[in-house]
Amino acid sequence: VFSFELLASISQCESGILRRNLDELVRAELLQRRGGASGVTYVFKHALIQDVAYLSLLKKRRQEIHEGIARALEERLQKGQETEPEILAYHCEKAGLIPQAVIYLQQAAARALQRSAYNEAANHCNKGIALLETLPAVQQRWEQELALRNNLNLALIPTRGHTSQEVKD
């Protein structure tokens, strides 16, 4: 799902042309348009269409697009607009911005813990730890890993118990 506003912010197309191109994709039944008070959003009619569109791009171009989306979402965040950190983490990771992805995964895990969404928090922590393992072993990395592992335990204790091997590890 993506909004017209977000697409326009990263597109090199002028707004009118972009709108016409999206209308054409809706008429071809590749996209569905959804309207709302917060603006127009689009969703691919089928996941396979999304996959084909995504894979038709060169890897370098996909990374550039992910980076553009991440920057646009970060800009929204700085303006005080609500942005889901797990979405930011996803786009940062795909753009190759691993340190930023880890920061957003930490935020996503903390938010999940606040909602008692323990499995979700554990998934975010595990993903962050896996990404950290791809970075050089420096003090900041160890501090981030410790914070993620602490949150991971906070997520595992209610679901697995204090004595589980995962918590001990």
Side-chain angles (χ1 to χ4, degrees), residues 108-129:
R111 285 178 45 165
L113 284 171
Q114 289 173 346
R115 298 189 323 271
S116 300
Y118 300 119
N119 289 330
E120 182 182 333
N123 289 338
H124 294 316
C125 291
N126 283 325
K127 178 71 173 175
I129 291 166

Side-chain angles (χ1 to χ4, degrees), residues 4 13 24 26 32 37 40 44 50 52 77 86 96 103-105 110 126 128 133 135 143 148 159:
F4 177 81
C13 239
E24 189 175 320
V26 169
Q32 292 177 333
V40 177
F44 283 92
Q50 178 182 343
V52 168
L77 193 61
E86 56 272 21
I103 290 168
Y104 291 121
L105 284 166
N126 283 325
E133 290 172 356
L135 298 177
E143 290 169 2
L148 282 166
T159 59

Side-chain angles (χ1 to χ4, degrees), residues 123-160:
N123 289 338
H124 294 316
C125 291
N126 283 325
K127 178 71 173 175
I129 291 166
L131 289 177
L132 279 174
E133 290 172 356
T134 68
L135 298 177
V138 296
Q139 182 67 30
Q140 183 182 10
R141 174 190 157 185
W142 298 121
E143 290 169 2
Q144 287 179 302
E145 185 172 346
L146 181 60
L148 282 166
R149 288 193 183 278
N150 283 335
N151 280 341
L152 179 58
N153 272 345
L154 291 175
L156 292 176
I157 289 170
T159 59
R160 309 290 197 293

